[in-house]
Amino acid sequence: MKRIAVLGSTGSIGTQTLDVLRSSKDAGRAVVLCARANADLLLSQAEEFLPELVCVEQENAARALEGNLPAGVRLYCGEDAGVVAAAYAGADTVIPGIAGFA
């Protein structure tokens, strides 16, 4: 089974990727979810998909997530959240659903 890092999980490409994973359990497993700032949606996604790692760029979003993620889900916050998510050793596929400039 593919282990997938979803960069931009709260955006249109990311949510569509998670829709595919939701509808086809054989498509793979989201092991990393990464977003810029949408803590509410990111938390909801983490509760559903139980990734190993959640990465967020903005500190205020990280504060909203801290202590609220499911047990065992690690949190990373920083400007390099996308790089950390893309380089996660536990993922074998990366879905780059973030703006090209990022």
Side-chain angles (χ1 to χ4, degrees):
M1 177 175 293
K2 289 188 187 281
R3 295 173 48 82
I4 302 169
V6 184
L7 281 60
S9 70
T10 61
S12 62
I13 293 171
T15 56
Q16 291 174 46
T17 299
L18 295 177
D19 285 345
V20 170
L21 296 179
R22 186 180 293 115
S23 67
S24 176
K25 300 298 181 192
D26 294 334
R29 176 173 179 257
V31 295
V32 180
L33 299 176
C34 179
R36 183 168 181 253
N38 190 340
D40 291 336
L41 181 52
L42 190 54
L43 177 58
S44 176
Q45 292 172 342
E47 290 171 341
E48 179 180 358
F49 291 94
L50 300 174
E52 297 169 8
L53 177 65
V54 167
C55 296
V56 65
E57 182 180 318
Q58 292 190 350
E59 192 173 315
N60 60 340
R63 281 193 298 270
L65 293 167
E66 201 167 40
N68 293 311
L69 290 170
V73 177
R74 295 187 317 270
L75 176 63
Y76 177 85
C77 175
E79 291 181 7
D80 60 344
V83 173
V84 170
Y88 184 68
D92 52 36
T93 302
V94 176
I95 303 297
I98 57 177
F101 182 76

XYZ file of all heavy atoms in Angstrom:
726
model
N 0.835 -1.177 0.000
C 0.000 0.000 0.000
C 0.879 1.240 0.000
O 1.847 1.322 0.752
C -0.901 -0.001 1.234
C -1.753 1.245 1.334
S -2.929 1.259 2.690
C -4.013 -0.029 2.187
N 0.541 2.199 -0.841
C 1.301 3.447 -0.908
C 1.116 4.250 0.374
O 0.043 4.333 0.916
C 0.839 4.284 -2.096
C 1.234 3.712 -3.425
C 0.920 4.701 -4.526
C 1.143 4.073 -5.874
N 2.503 4.022 -6.276
N 2.221 4.834 0.817
C 2.223 5.706 1.993
C 2.424 7.124 1.462
O 3.478 7.427 0.893
C 3.315 5.275 2.953
C 3.035 3.872 3.519
C 4.174 3.314 4.348
N 4.697 4.218 5.336
C 4.156 4.423 6.556
N 3.081 3.760 6.906
N 4.708 5.265 7.407
N 1.407 7.960 1.627
C 1.327 9.224 0.907
C 1.467 10.429 1.828
O 0.838 10.490 2.880
C -0.019 9.289 0.150
C -0.115 8.103 -0.800
C -0.171 10.606 -0.593
C -1.481 7.892 -1.399
N 2.277 11.387 1.387
C 2.369 12.698 2.027
C 1.544 13.657 1.181
O 1.800 13.802 -0.018
C 3.819 13.168 2.097
N 0.547 14.276 1.786
C -0.331 15.191 1.067
C 0.031 16.618 1.463
O -0.291 17.072 2.560
C -1.822 14.904 1.364
C -2.711 15.817 0.530
C -2.157 13.443 1.102
N 0.709 17.319 0.568
C 1.073 18.710 0.788
C -0.089 19.570 0.318
O -0.580 19.391 -0.794
C 2.335 19.070 0.009
C 3.661 18.622 0.601
C 3.747 17.124 0.752
C 4.804 19.147 -0.215
N -0.541 20.465 1.161
C -1.709 21.270 0.835
C -2.995 20.481 1.020
O -3.912 20.565 0.216
N -3.071 19.716 2.094
C -4.213 18.813 2.299
C -5.534 19.539 2.466
O -6.591 18.954 2.273
C -3.970 17.893 3.495
O -4.006 18.612 4.708
N -5.508 20.830 2.809
C -6.751 21.573 3.006
C -7.195 22.328 1.757
O -8.270 22.916 1.745
C -6.629 22.564 4.189
O -5.595 23.508 3.906
C -6.344 21.825 5.492
N -6.380 22.308 0.723
C -6.723 22.971 -0.533
C -7.463 22.030 -1.474
O -7.754 20.879 -1.140
N -7.737 22.508 -2.679
C -8.554 21.722 -3.611
C -7.884 20.415 -4.037
O -8.532 19.367 -4.040
C -8.930 22.559 -4.837
O -7.779 22.947 -5.546
N -6.611 20.452 -4.374
C -5.925 19.211 -4.775
C -5.820 18.257 -3.593
O -6.060 17.057 -3.718
C -4.530 19.516 -5.357
C -4.671 20.270 -6.683
C -3.719 18.235 -5.551
C -3.380 20.809 -7.241
N -5.481 18.793 -2.434
C -5.359 17.961 -1.237
C -6.675 17.311 -0.837
O -6.709 16.116 -0.521
N -7.753 18.088 -0.821
C -9.038 17.509 -0.420
C -9.512 16.477 -1.442
O -10.103 15.465 -1.057
C -10.118 18.586 -0.205
O -10.267 19.371 -1.389
C -9.771 19.479 0.975
N -9.234 16.711 -2.712
C -9.591 15.717 -3.732
C -8.759 14.443 -3.575
O -9.275 13.334 -3.757
C -9.419 16.307 -5.124
C -10.444 17.380 -5.442
C -10.180 18.054 -6.755
O -9.918 17.396 -7.751
N -10.232 19.382 -6.766
N -7.503 14.599 -3.232
C -6.658 13.429 -2.968
C -7.216 12.620 -1.812
O -7.316 11.386 -1.885
C -5.212 13.873 -2.655
O -4.675 14.566 -3.790
C -4.334 12.685 -2.295
N -7.602 13.312 -0.746
C -8.166 12.613 0.417
C -9.513 11.981 0.082
O -9.843 10.913 0.602
C -8.265 13.562 1.606
C -6.920 14.058 2.141
C -7.128 15.059 3.272
C -6.029 12.913 2.584
N -10.283 12.591 -0.830
C -11.533 11.977 -1.297
C -11.260 10.636 -1.965
O -11.977 9.663 -1.750
C -12.272 12.889 -2.276
C -12.966 14.064 -1.613
O -13.140 14.054 -0.370
O -13.326 15.017 -2.347
N -10.199 10.581 -2.783
C -9.832 9.335 -3.452
C -9.423 8.290 -2.413
O -9.856 7.134 -2.476
C -8.698 9.560 -4.468
C -8.147 8.231 -4.981
C -9.193 10.412 -5.626
N -8.606 8.682 -1.452
C -8.177 7.743 -0.412
C -9.370 7.264 0.416
O -9.419 6.101 0.822
C -7.133 8.390 0.497
C -5.810 8.759 -0.169
C -4.874 9.413 0.834
C -5.160 7.553 -0.811
N -10.306 8.152 0.645
C -11.501 7.811 1.422
C -12.371 6.795 0.665
O -12.907 5.872 1.257
C -12.295 9.086 1.687
C -13.480 8.937 2.593
C -14.199 10.273 2.793
N -13.371 11.223 3.531
C -12.901 12.381 3.023
N -13.167 12.731 1.785
N -12.177 13.179 3.779
N -12.486 6.970 -0.631
C -13.383 6.115 -1.410
C -12.749 4.790 -1.824
O -13.450 3.843 -2.147
C -13.876 6.857 -2.658
O -12.808 7.088 -3.545
N -11.428 4.738 -1.817
C -10.740 3.512 -2.223
C -9.636 3.209 -1.217
O -8.531 3.737 -1.320
C -10.140 3.660 -3.619
O -9.403 2.506 -3.946
N -9.939 2.365 -0.270
C -8.974 2.037 0.781
C -7.694 1.422 0.217
O -6.648 1.477 0.845
C -9.601 1.092 1.814
C -10.818 1.675 2.500
C -10.480 2.931 3.279
C -11.718 3.468 3.955
N -11.550 4.794 4.482
N -7.754 0.844 -0.978
C -6.571 0.247 -1.603
C -5.674 1.277 -2.281
O -4.578 0.951 -2.712
C -6.989 -0.806 -2.629
C -7.677 -1.995 -1.991
O -7.408 -2.271 -0.804
O -8.489 -2.647 -2.667
N -6.142 2.537 -2.388
C -5.373 3.574 -3.079
C -4.140 3.984 -2.290
O -3.161 4.448 -2.861
C -6.251 4.788 -3.355
N -4.176 3.828 -0.989
C -3.038 4.204 -0.165
C -3.484 4.769 1.162
O -4.675 4.834 1.470
N -2.492 5.192 1.927
C -2.735 5.743 3.261
C -2.016 7.080 3.390
O -0.830 7.190 3.054
C -2.218 4.778 4.324
C -2.339 5.323 5.722
C -1.978 4.294 6.790
N -2.116 4.928 8.086
C -1.101 5.363 8.815
N 0.134 5.192 8.404
N -1.306 5.946 9.974
N -2.712 8.092 3.866
C -2.106 9.397 4.107
C -1.310 9.327 5.405
O -1.879 9.232 6.484
C -3.183 10.471 4.194
N 0.010 9.338 5.295
C 0.864 9.278 6.480
C 1.336 10.661 6.920
O 1.809 10.828 8.041
C 2.075 8.331 6.286
C 1.609 6.899 6.122
C 2.949 8.772 5.137
N 1.208 11.644 6.015
C 1.548 13.029 6.336
C 0.472 13.936 5.743
O 0.092 13.773 4.585
C 2.917 13.454 5.749
C 3.223 14.908 6.098
C 4.029 12.564 6.220
N 0.007 14.876 6.551
C -0.881 15.930 6.089
C -0.174 17.247 6.346
O 0.398 17.451 7.424
C -2.217 15.907 6.838
C -3.048 14.636 6.691
C -4.290 14.720 7.579
C -3.447 14.421 5.242
N -0.205 18.142 5.370
C 0.507 19.403 5.498
C -0.379 20.530 4.984
O -0.995 20.400 3.923
C 1.801 19.347 4.697
S 2.785 20.863 4.755
N -0.445 21.624 5.743
C -1.231 22.785 5.335
C -0.534 24.057 5.812
O 0.339 24.022 6.682
C -2.628 22.706 5.926
N -0.967 25.150 5.248
C -0.386 26.430 5.642
C -0.980 26.924 6.950
O -0.256 27.280 7.869
C -0.600 27.462 4.537
C 0.024 28.787 4.838
C 0.027 29.672 3.600
N 0.658 30.926 3.935
C 0.000 32.060 4.088
N -1.299 32.106 3.913
N 0.642 33.151 4.396
N -2.358 26.931 7.032
C -2.945 27.593 8.194
C -4.329 27.097 8.608
O -4.788 27.456 9.679
C -3.032 29.102 7.931
N -5.012 26.320 7.825
C -6.398 25.946 8.118
C -6.451 24.854 9.192
O -6.636 23.676 8.908
C -7.107 25.500 6.845
C -8.597 25.341 7.028
O -9.096 25.198 8.136
N -9.313 25.358 5.916
N -6.317 25.289 10.434
C -6.228 24.343 11.550
C -7.501 23.521 11.721
O -7.432 22.332 12.034
C -5.900 25.081 12.841
N -8.657 24.133 11.542
C -9.918 23.409 11.747
C -10.050 22.230 10.784
O -10.343 21.114 11.197
C -11.117 24.343 11.598
C -11.228 25.359 12.716
O -10.698 25.097 13.822
O -11.838 26.416 12.491
N -9.834 22.486 9.497
C -9.944 21.404 8.520
C -8.814 20.394 8.700
O -9.033 19.184 8.606
C -9.947 21.956 7.092
C -10.093 20.928 5.978
C -11.304 20.020 6.193
C -10.177 21.630 4.621
N -7.618 20.876 8.990
C -6.479 19.978 9.192
C -6.730 19.046 10.377
O -6.439 17.848 10.305
C -5.201 20.785 9.387
C -3.883 20.030 9.384
C -3.714 19.181 8.128
C -2.725 21.004 9.508
N -7.300 19.567 11.447
C -7.626 18.730 12.601
C -8.665 17.675 12.228
O -8.523 16.499 12.576
C -8.134 19.579 13.761
C -8.570 18.812 15.011
C -7.436 17.968 15.563
C -9.097 19.775 16.055
N -9.675 18.066 11.500
C -10.705 17.123 11.055
C -10.092 16.020 10.188
O -10.412 14.835 10.343
C -11.788 17.882 10.278
O -12.731 17.008 9.756
N -9.200 16.401 9.285
C -8.524 15.420 8.433
C -7.661 14.480 9.272
O -7.639 13.273 9.034
C -7.669 16.135 7.388
C -8.476 16.880 6.353
C -7.611 17.737 5.445
O -6.454 18.054 5.756
N -8.161 18.117 4.309
N -6.953 15.023 10.239
C -6.095 14.203 11.088
C -6.918 13.206 11.896
O -6.512 12.057 12.074
C -5.263 15.087 12.018
N -8.071 13.632 12.368
C -8.943 12.732 13.130
C -9.459 11.594 12.252
O -9.614 10.467 12.713
C -10.107 13.516 13.731
C -9.678 14.438 14.831
C -10.759 15.391 15.300
O -11.747 15.620 14.555
O -10.611 15.915 16.406
N -9.713 11.879 10.987
C -10.225 10.848 10.082
C -9.128 9.926 9.567
O -9.284 8.703 9.546
C -10.935 11.491 8.891
C -11.467 10.482 7.894
C -12.180 11.090 6.708
O -12.319 12.332 6.630
O -12.610 10.303 5.830
N -8.007 10.486 9.132
C -6.984 9.696 8.444
C -5.859 9.198 9.354
O -5.075 8.347 8.943
C -6.409 10.495 7.262
C -7.401 10.670 6.149
C -8.185 11.800 6.075
C -7.586 9.684 5.194
C -9.123 11.964 5.058
C -8.513 9.821 4.189
C -9.288 10.967 4.120
N -5.759 9.740 10.554
C -4.747 9.325 11.522
C -3.345 9.230 10.908
O -2.710 8.173 10.924
C -5.139 8.000 12.171
C -6.464 8.003 12.923
C -6.823 6.601 13.387
C -6.415 8.982 14.090
N -2.844 10.346 10.382
C -1.492 10.323 9.820
C -0.454 10.180 10.916
O -0.762 10.334 12.106
C -1.384 11.700 9.151
C -2.235 12.564 10.017
C -3.404 11.688 10.407
N 0.764 9.901 10.526
C 1.859 9.839 11.484
C 2.352 11.241 11.833
O 2.840 11.471 12.931
C 3.000 9.014 10.889
C 2.592 7.570 10.640
C 3.596 6.788 9.808
O 4.703 7.303 9.533
O 3.256 5.645 9.424
N 2.222 12.167 10.872
C 2.763 13.503 11.024
C 1.815 14.519 10.417
O 1.285 14.306 9.327
C 4.132 13.594 10.328
C 4.847 14.936 10.299
C 5.227 15.380 11.712
C 6.085 14.858 9.407
N 1.626 15.634 11.121
C 0.886 16.784 10.610
C 1.859 17.955 10.607
O 2.490 18.245 11.632
C -0.346 17.102 11.483
C -0.916 18.465 11.152
C -1.408 16.026 11.312
N 1.986 18.610 9.469
C 2.876 19.763 9.339
C 2.040 20.994 9.025
O 1.138 20.942 8.189
C 3.877 19.548 8.205
S 5.013 18.185 8.465
N 2.354 22.087 9.682
C 1.645 23.341 9.462
C 2.662 24.475 9.471
O 3.628 24.450 10.235
C 0.517 23.538 10.499
C 1.060 23.681 11.895
C -0.385 24.693 10.131
N 2.441 25.452 8.596
C 3.402 26.546 8.472
C 3.196 27.624 9.531
O 4.155 28.103 10.124
C 3.285 27.166 7.083
C 4.269 28.280 6.834
C 4.133 28.870 5.455
O 3.968 28.107 4.492
O 4.198 30.099 5.350
N 1.968 28.009 9.782
C 1.703 29.144 10.658
C 1.594 28.730 12.127
O 0.907 27.768 12.467
C 0.450 29.875 10.209
C 0.651 30.559 8.864
C -0.485 31.480 8.509
O -1.513 31.501 9.153
N -0.288 32.245 7.444
N 2.255 29.505 12.959
C 2.330 29.193 14.385
C 0.972 29.227 15.077
O 0.695 28.406 15.945
C 3.289 30.174 15.064
C 3.651 29.776 16.468
C 4.728 30.673 17.040
O 5.712 30.946 16.330
O 4.566 31.084 18.201
N 0.095 30.158 14.687
C -1.222 30.221 15.327
C -2.040 28.966 15.017
O -2.804 28.493 15.864
C -1.984 31.490 14.942
C -2.241 31.611 13.461
O -1.585 30.984 12.645
N -3.193 32.450 13.103
N -1.865 28.400 13.845
C -2.537 27.142 13.503
C -1.973 25.998 14.336
O -2.711 25.137 14.810
C -2.394 26.843 12.014
N -0.668 26.000 14.535
C -0.034 24.957 15.355
C -0.541 25.012 16.785
O -0.798 23.973 17.398
C 1.476 25.099 15.316
N -0.718 26.227 17.307
C -1.248 26.359 18.672
C -2.658 25.781 18.769
O -3.017 25.174 19.776
C -1.220 27.821 19.111
C 0.154 28.291 19.557
C 0.090 29.632 20.278
N -0.422 30.700 19.424
C 0.326 31.484 18.657
N 1.636 31.312 18.618
N -0.218 32.430 17.930
N -3.456 25.969 17.724
C -4.815 25.425 17.720
C -4.814 23.899 17.644
O -5.711 23.243 18.174
C -5.611 26.008 16.552
N -3.802 23.335 16.995
C -3.712 21.876 16.839
C -3.080 21.196 18.049
O -3.440 20.066 18.390
C -2.894 21.532 15.594
C -3.523 21.906 14.256
C -2.499 21.798 13.143
C -4.734 21.036 13.977
N -2.161 21.894 18.687
C -1.409 21.318 19.795
C -2.344 20.826 20.899
O -3.205 21.551 21.378
C -0.443 22.357 20.350
C 0.692 21.781 21.115
C 1.763 22.836 21.364
O 1.418 23.991 21.648
O 2.936 22.474 21.277
N -2.176 19.575 21.260
C -2.998 18.983 22.298
C -4.348 18.481 21.822
O -5.082 17.879 22.592
N -4.671 18.728 20.566
C -5.963 18.305 20.020
C -5.856 17.196 18.984
O -6.874 16.612 18.603
C -6.699 19.499 19.405
C -7.109 20.502 20.461
O -7.690 20.138 21.475
N -6.779 21.767 20.236
N -4.656 16.921 18.522
C -4.470 15.855 17.529
C -4.666 14.491 18.188
O -4.419 14.328 19.382
C -3.070 15.942 16.919
C -2.820 17.135 16.002
C -1.344 17.234 15.662
C -3.663 17.050 14.749
N -5.094 13.515 17.403
C -5.245 12.161 17.958
C -3.918 11.644 18.519
O -2.835 12.052 18.080
C -5.680 11.334 16.739
C -6.281 12.315 15.797
C -5.512 13.588 15.997
N -4.000 10.748 19.470
C -2.809 10.156 20.081
C -1.914 9.548 19.006
O -2.389 8.893 18.077
C -3.215 9.090 21.084
N -0.636 9.794 19.130
C 0.337 9.221 18.215
C 0.622 10.059 16.983
O 1.555 9.767 16.240
N -0.153 11.099 16.742
C 0.074 11.972 15.585
C 1.019 13.079 16.022
O 0.736 13.833 16.955
C -1.246 12.571 15.052
C -0.965 13.531 13.893
C -2.197 11.470 14.605
N 2.175 13.161 15.347
C 3.168 14.186 15.682
C 2.853 15.482 14.933
O 2.310 15.457 13.832
C 4.567 13.696 15.332
C 4.984 12.491 16.167
C 6.437 12.102 15.959
N 6.909 12.120 14.593
C 6.863 11.073 13.755
N 6.353 9.933 14.140
N 7.344 11.165 12.536
N 3.237 16.599 15.519
C 2.997 17.919 14.939
C 4.323 18.607 14.676
O 5.204 18.624 15.532
C 2.161 18.760 15.909
C 1.893 20.216 15.514
C 1.087 20.285 14.220
C 1.178 20.940 16.644
N 4.441 19.184 13.481
C 5.604 20.000 13.137
C 5.095 21.354 12.679
O 4.158 21.435 11.878
C 6.441 19.361 12.019
C 7.595 20.241 11.628
C 8.785 20.186 12.332
C 7.464 21.173 10.602
C 9.838 21.033 12.016
C 8.514 22.017 10.287
C 9.691 21.952 10.994
O 10.735 22.799 10.697
N 5.720 22.414 13.143
C 5.367 23.764 12.730
C 6.621 24.504 12.297
O 7.651 24.456 12.973
C 4.694 24.512 13.876
S 4.345 26.245 13.491
N 6.521 25.205 11.175
C 7.632 26.019 10.712
C 7.446 26.436 9.275
O 6.620 25.880 8.548
N 8.218 27.434 8.874
C 8.149 27.913 7.496
C 8.510 26.821 6.494
O 8.107 26.879 5.336
C 9.082 29.107 7.308
C 8.622 30.347 8.027
C 9.551 31.525 7.810
O 10.493 31.421 6.996
O 9.341 32.546 8.473
N 9.276 25.849 6.925
C 9.695 24.754 6.061
C 8.796 23.522 6.184
O 9.202 22.406 5.860
C 11.146 24.378 6.346
C 11.364 23.929 7.785
O 10.491 24.184 8.643
O 12.419 23.327 8.057
N 7.550 23.710 6.622
C 6.635 22.586 6.834
C 6.470 21.730 5.573
O 6.455 20.503 5.649
C 5.272 23.095 7.309
N 6.388 22.372 4.421
C 6.246 21.623 3.172
C 7.460 20.771 2.865
O 7.340 19.640 2.401
N 8.633 21.287 3.155
C 9.871 20.537 2.935
C 9.930 19.337 3.878
O 10.268 18.224 3.466
C 11.107 21.449 3.132
C 12.397 20.645 3.079
C 11.115 22.561 2.104
N 9.593 19.570 5.143
C 9.595 18.486 6.133
C 8.599 17.400 5.708
O 8.910 16.210 5.764
C 9.275 19.033 7.539
C 9.023 17.911 8.520
C 10.415 19.926 8.020
N 7.427 17.809 5.271
C 6.411 16.848 4.846
C 6.871 16.066 3.614
O 6.727 14.843 3.553
C 5.091 17.560 4.558
N 7.430 16.761 2.635
C 7.860 16.113 1.393
C 9.030 15.162 1.622
O 9.162 14.156 0.923
C 8.242 17.162 0.357
N 9.868 15.471 2.606
C 11.052 14.655 2.869
C 10.804 13.557 3.895
O 11.731 12.816 4.232
C 12.193 15.554 3.346
N 9.574 13.420 4.375
C 9.273 12.436 5.414
C 9.657 11.033 4.944
O 9.177 10.547 3.910
C 7.793 12.499 5.772
C 7.402 11.577 6.900
C 7.859 11.802 8.186
C 6.576 10.486 6.677
C 7.502 10.967 9.234
C 6.205 9.651 7.720
C 6.672 9.891 8.986
O 6.317 9.063 10.031
N 10.531 10.397 5.680
C 11.068 9.092 5.282
C 10.008 8.002 5.234
O 10.178 7.021 4.513
C 12.194 8.684 6.228
N 8.921 8.163 5.961
C 7.880 7.146 5.990
C 6.921 7.202 4.827
O 6.029 6.360 4.712
N 7.075 8.186 3.944
C 6.202 8.314 2.769
C 6.955 7.884 1.518
O 8.133 8.187 1.358
C 5.726 9.747 2.611
N 6.267 7.176 0.646
C 6.906 6.809 -0.619
C 6.316 7.557 -1.805
O 6.818 7.456 -2.917
C 6.858 5.291 -0.857
C 5.472 4.701 -0.738
O 4.496 5.352 -1.131
O 5.375 3.566 -0.251
N 5.265 8.337 -1.567
C 4.638 9.148 -2.606
C 4.293 10.507 -2.015
O 3.805 10.581 -0.892
C 3.346 8.479 -3.120
O 3.668 7.184 -3.628
C 2.686 9.289 -4.212
N 4.543 11.568 -2.786
C 4.211 12.919 -2.349
C 3.230 13.517 -3.343
O 3.475 13.497 -4.552
C 5.472 13.808 -2.261
C 5.102 15.238 -1.908
C 6.461 13.235 -1.260
N 2.119 14.037 -2.826
C 1.164 14.758 -3.665
C 1.389 16.245 -3.393
O 1.082 16.734 -2.307
C -0.305 14.379 -3.313
C -0.520 12.879 -3.434
C -1.279 15.168 -4.183
C -0.337 12.306 -4.829
N 1.948 16.979 -4.384
C 2.291 18.390 -4.171
C 1.112 19.308 -4.495
O 1.066 19.932 -5.546
C 3.466 18.607 -5.118
C 3.164 17.661 -6.256
C 2.472 16.476 -5.636
N 0.165 19.408 -3.578
C -1.012 20.234 -3.801
C -0.868 21.624 -3.210
O -1.830 22.151 -2.647
N 0.309 22.217 -3.343
C 0.536 23.570 -2.824
C 0.891 24.479 -3.987
O 1.262 24.027 -5.072
C 1.644 23.604 -1.748
C 2.958 23.042 -2.283
C 1.217 22.812 -0.523
C 4.117 23.120 -1.301
N 0.794 25.778 -3.737
C 1.093 26.772 -4.777
C 2.520 26.590 -5.284
O 3.429 26.282 -4.508
C 0.900 28.177 -4.210
N 2.712 26.782 -6.561
C 4.015 26.596 -7.184
C 5.109 27.416 -6.550
O 6.242 26.976 -6.423
N 4.799 28.638 -6.143
C 5.784 29.498 -5.524
C 6.303 28.897 -4.222
O 7.488 28.987 -3.912
C 5.203 30.875 -5.264
C 6.190 31.832 -4.672
C 7.154 32.403 -5.457
C 6.181 32.134 -3.319
C 8.094 33.281 -4.920
C 7.099 33.000 -2.771
C 8.056 33.579 -3.577
N 5.419 28.260 -3.450
C 5.823 27.664 -2.176
C 6.788 26.532 -2.430
O 7.672 26.253 -1.675
C 4.609 27.181 -1.406
